[in-house]
Amino acid sequence: MNGVNQHRDDIQGLRALAVLAVIIYHVNHNWLPGGFIGVDIFFVISGYLITGIVLRQKAESRFSFISFYTSRLRRIVPAYLFLLASVAAAMAVLLIPRDFDTFFDSLKSAAYFNSNSYFSKQSDYFAPASHELPLLHTWSLAVEMQFYLLLPALLVLVPTRFVKATLGLIATLLFMYSAFLLANGEKQSVYFSLLARIPEFLVGAFLAAFGDISGRSSYRNIKAWIGLILVSLSFTLISEETTYPGLLALAPGIGTALLISASGSTFNNWLASRPAAFIGAISYSLYLWHWPVLAGFRYYYEMYELSAAVLLACAVLIVSLSIASYVLIENPLRRVNGRKGALNLTAFTAIAFLAVIISKTINPIVTKPLPVEMTRYAAPEDICHGQIVGECLRGDVTADKEVLLLGDSHAAQLNHFADKMGKALGMRVRVITASSCVPLDGFDADRLSEWARPPCESQIVAAKPYLQSADAVLLAGMWQYQAPSQQFMLALEKFMTATAKRDLPLIVLAQIPMLTSNVQRMQRFNALGGSKAAHLEGTWQKANQTVKTMVDHFPNATFLDLTSLPLFDTPPFADGKLIYHDSHHLNEIGSKAYGEAASAKIADALRGIGELQATSE
């Protein structure tokens, strides 16, 4: 056990390989589909090094929990706090208030190393896309810090002769546990789970428990090549679509362990070269900074794939910030001990938290905030979107005739629409919706994010009795998202067939025009001196046509395309008012205006396809 070396240039080179793989993957996941496995390599390395330190000090009867955690804090916290404070300041300027609130929630979790739990439960449909979340990458640091709370106690408390067996048993059980959860569809929660990641640390820990097992030179080269093949295959054959980590994490885990144990091999000597070792030395700073820089640019440009010029700017910024962080903060503060070190760390922490608090104050005053009715399509606590709130009724709630309005968020945006339309036509409108989900029997909820599946399934159940009693049905959705799913189209066809058998009047509304820019972001960027504009996006019309083709086969149904209304002549504005709240949802003003403009058209459609008599004002 005493043969574990704390500092090896080839391990620094292995860190370089890991961080470069992660960065390439994060720049464009198509370039290296399994590049995220670089994080797993870091976990194995950490397990190996930390276990070696603890076991050696335990054998020498000089292990101290205080010294261990102090050294870990000096190593990780200063650069981490500098990142959090700097990103908070930048995002206070860049993000619209709603998005900053989401960011600040993640920031609070990241501050006490719990962001893995936060992101595993991320459930805001209107939050920025994952590639726009500046602190998403902190989940791995949270897992690492949480593991550091467990490993030393385990190694110290378990008798030395039982350490290997204990590590092996725990790793085996947890690999099986995560595989079981993945088989039951819990991909997101498992990916961010500490329990699912502990086995990867323990692969390295298990290796360290055996001490120096590098072996003869020929064996080292064989191990290095096998390890390199396992890691390389993982980078290329595993992707974000794979059920990972689970048992598949064994491949990069064992590959990394073989590379660590192959010290002195030809490949390890290359890993120990000065360029590779230097990248490994700054790998922590590179990991900290690369993702927020990419996320910030993606948020501004509202696209995942950035141009070559923008990527070049990102590269310069990432390298500059990483080297500055390493030279000015990470390296100096990790070496300071004693009272002076504690005072420096305390002062640094206080300044960082002050910067974070100030960012919360700055964000809403950088530009004049939009009125609330322009930033949402309805008060979320008052609508039956993913939940049942009261009777879910809009329009003339005392009327005898009832229209059931179903759909995803493109139906939820019609709550104020339903008020205007229902009152104009003398009908009550029951609105039942769910995020990304059209609540119909057979809807393929398995393609939704984990957080969206239970609300979707509950709304499908909630809608069933009203389908039997409704006098007509109004269906709305983001067909651009729904129509490409063959399973959804089959469910839609089955639903329309059932309504046709009952001669139930059915109106399917076209998706409203999709824009190229989130209008709230556009307003903020322009107020800061930008010149962004929201233009019509080019794929929503095709999705409308796909759904219309199916609807046209049913005599009780009509596809009502209202995108030619004057209301949509100059989106995102109408009569000088902002009517959108992002790139494809109306705000409260737009929803009300849409209801007023559409009432007569809907009345005509209902008279044309069923016995429901509706009169417009």
Side-chain angles (χ1 to χ4, degrees):
M1 294 181 192
N2 297 336
V4 176
N5 190 354
Q6 294 182 59
H7 181 83
R8 281 171 36 188
D9 284 341
D10 61 327
I11 290 182
Q12 291 287 59
L14 193 53
R15 284 192 173 111
L17 176 67
V19 78
L20 290 176
V22 171
I23 291 174
I24 292 170
Y25 171 76
H26 283 161
V27 170
N28 190 319
H29 54 68
N30 294 316
W31 293 355
L32 193 65
F36 59 89
I37 286 168
V39 170
D40 304 78
I41 294 175
F42 279 121
F43 288 163
V44 176
I45 293 173
S46 293
Y48 172 78
L49 293 177
I50 297 304
T51 300
I53 292 170
V54 175
L55 289 181
R56 183 174 59 256
Q57 293 180 356
K58 177 184 176 182
E60 297 169 358
S61 300
R62 61 183 182 89
F63 176 78
S64 164
F65 283 101
I66 293 177
S67 296
F68 174 82
Y69 289 117
T70 300
S71 67
R72 289 294 87 201
L73 290 175
R74 287 201 311 268
R75 171 72 177 89
I76 293 173
V77 171
Y80 185 66
L81 288 180
F82 178 60
L83 171 91
L84 296 184
S86 302
V87 173
M91 294 305 129
V93 176
L94 184 65
L95 304 185
I96 63 174
R98 180 189 179 102
D99 292 345
F100 186 82
D101 289 342
T102 299
F103 163 77
F104 202 78
D105 286 341
S106 71
L107 179 64
K108 288 185 291 185
S109 295
Y112 61 93
F113 294 100
N114 193 44
S115 53
N116 60 320
S117 297
Y118 173 82
F119 288 116
S120 72
K121 299 171 184 175
Q122 180 64 35
S123 60
D124 186 352
Y125 177 84
F126 290 105
S130 60
H131 59 263
E132 297 175 336
L133 298 173
L135 298 179
L136 179 62
H137 68 318
T138 63
W139 73 268
S140 64
L141 299 173
V143 166
E144 190 154 346
M145 287 297 282
Q146 291 163 19
F147 181 70
Y148 289 158
L149 295 175
L150 303 175
L151 181 62
L154 174 68
L155 296 174
V156 170
L157 294 175
V158 173
T160 301
R161 65 182 182 277
F162 295 133
V163 165
K164 295 174 198 162
T166 302
L167 294 175
L169 177 62
I170 294 174
T172 300
L173 292 175
L174 290 180
F175 269 126
M176 294 172 62
Y177 172 71
S178 61
F180 171 78
L181 293 180
L182 286 170
N184 284 276
E186 298 184 35
K187 183 177 178 180
Q188 179 172 324
S189 58
V190 170
Y191 188 85
F192 293 106
S193 168
L194 170 64
L195 289 179
R197 297 295 180 166
I198 282 177
E200 298 165 24
F201 290 97
L202 294 185
V203 169
F206 191 74
L207 177 66
F210 278 94
D212 185 3
I213 57 171
S214 53
R216 294 191 317 193
S217 178
S218 58
Y219 292 158
R220 295 174 188 177
N221 284 323
I222 291 172
K223 286 191 294 183
W225 279 112
I226 295 174
L228 181 60
I229 290 170
L230 286 173
V231 170
S232 300
L233 288 175
S234 299
F235 283 154
T236 54
L237 298 182
I238 294 173
S239 72
E240 60 188 20
E241 304 302 323
T242 308
T243 50
Y244 191 86
L247 295 178
L248 278 178
L250 278 168
I254 293 174
T256 303
L258 288 171
L259 287 171
I260 292 173
S261 70
S263 176
S265 71
T266 302
F267 183 71
N268 283 57
N269 289 338
W270 180 86
L271 286 175
S273 65
R274 291 184 66 181
F278 173 73
I279 295 173
I282 65 170
S283 60
Y284 177 50
S285 289
L286 282 170
Y287 184 80
L288 286 178
W289 283 103
H290 83 281
W291 181 255
V293 170
L294 289 170
F297 276 95
R298 282 170 172 151
Y299 185 87
Y300 179 80
Y301 287 105
E302 298 186 69
M303 60 179 63
Y304 173 75
E305 294 192 14
L306 300 171
S307 68
V310 173
L311 286 178
L312 179 60
C314 288
V316 171
L317 192 55
I318 290 166
V319 172
S320 300
L321 289 169
S322 298
I323 292 176
S325 175
Y326 177 75
V327 172
L328 300 177
I329 297 170
E330 180 186 343
N331 209 32
L333 289 181
R334 69 186 290 190
R335 299 179 185 277
V336 178
N337 290 309
R339 184 176 180 183
K340 182 179 178 181
L343 289 174
N344 286 344
L345 187 58
T346 301
F348 188 83
T349 302
I351 293 171
F353 277 102
L354 180 61
V356 167
I357 293 169
I358 292 174
S359 73
K360 180 70 170 175
T361 305
I362 290 175
N363 176 258
I365 63 175
V366 169
T367 65
K368 184 180 179 180
L370 293 171
V372 67
E373 63 268 21
M374 291 185 179
T375 65
R376 66 186 189 185
Y377 49 62
E381 64 273 12
D382 295 336
I383 60 177
C384 294
H385 188 53
Q387 59 182 347
I388 297 299
V389 179
E391 291 296 314
C392 307
L393 291 176
R394 298 279 175 166
D396 183 356
V397 297
T398 64
D400 294 329
K401 299 293 185 180
E402 178 173 307
V403 174
L404 178 60
L405 172 55
L406 298 176
D408 54 25
S409 62
H410 277 235
Q413 73 179 340
L414 301 180
N415 270 268
H416 288 292
F417 168 104
D419 266 333
K420 295 291 185 180
M421 179 200 75
K423 289 173 182 175
L425 303 185
M427 300 182 298
R428 65 177 186 265
V429 185
R430 191 179 301 272
V431 187
I432 299 179
T433 64
S435 290
S436 304
C437 165
V438 181
L440 307 176
D441 255 345
F443 180 84
D444 47 334
D446 56 337
R447 67 185 163 99
L448 304 182
S449 299
E450 283 182 30
W451 62 265
R453 291 175 201 162
C456 173
E457 292 163 353
S458 69
Q459 295 299 80
I460 291 172
V461 172
K464 282 183 179 179
Y466 300 113
L467 280 168
Q468 303 302 315
S469 59
D471 297 292
V473 175
L474 196 59
L475 209 60
M478 186 181 183
W479 307 130
Q480 198 173 13
Y481 172 72
Q482 306 293 357
S485 167
Q486 183 178 5
Q487 189 173 338
F488 167 75
M489 294 302 286
L490 289 173
L492 179 61
E493 184 176 27
K494 181 180 177 182
F495 171 76
M496 289 195 290
T497 300
T499 62
K501 288 180 179 178
R502 295 170 47 207
D503 200 25
L504 178 65
L506 171 65
I507 294 176
V508 180
L509 285 176
Q511 177 182 331
I512 64 169
M514 174 91 169
L515 306 177
T516 56
S517 181
N518 181 309
V519 296
Q520 290 187 62
R521 298 188 194 183
M522 177 191 73
Q523 296 278 91
R524 187 174 185 88
F525 299 154
N526 290 347
L528 293 170
S531 57
K532 298 197 74 172
H535 304 289
L536 287 178
E537 188 268 348
T539 62
W540 55 276
Q541 297 100 323
K542 183 179 179 181
N544 277 342
Q545 186 57 47
T546 299
V547 176
K548 180 180 185 302
T549 299
M550 178 178 289
V551 174
D552 286 346
H553 287 91
F554 295 88
N556 68 310
T558 187
F559 186 83
L560 191 57
D561 189 345
L562 302 175
T563 59
S564 61
L565 287 172
L567 180 72
F568 298 114
D569 283 349
T570 58
F573 300 98
D575 296 326
K577 296 179 180 179
L578 187 66
I579 62 170
Y580 278 67
H581 87 84
D582 60 13
S583 62
H584 58 105
H585 293 96
L586 298 173
N587 58 27
E588 289 186 21
I589 295 170
S591 184
K592 291 173 183 176
Y594 190 22
E596 291 171 350
S599 295
K601 298 284 187 181
I602 289 177
D604 289 342
L606 289 173
R607 280 196 293 268
I609 60 175
E611 297 179 356
L612 181 66
Q613 298 300 310
T615 57
S616 62
E617 294 182 350

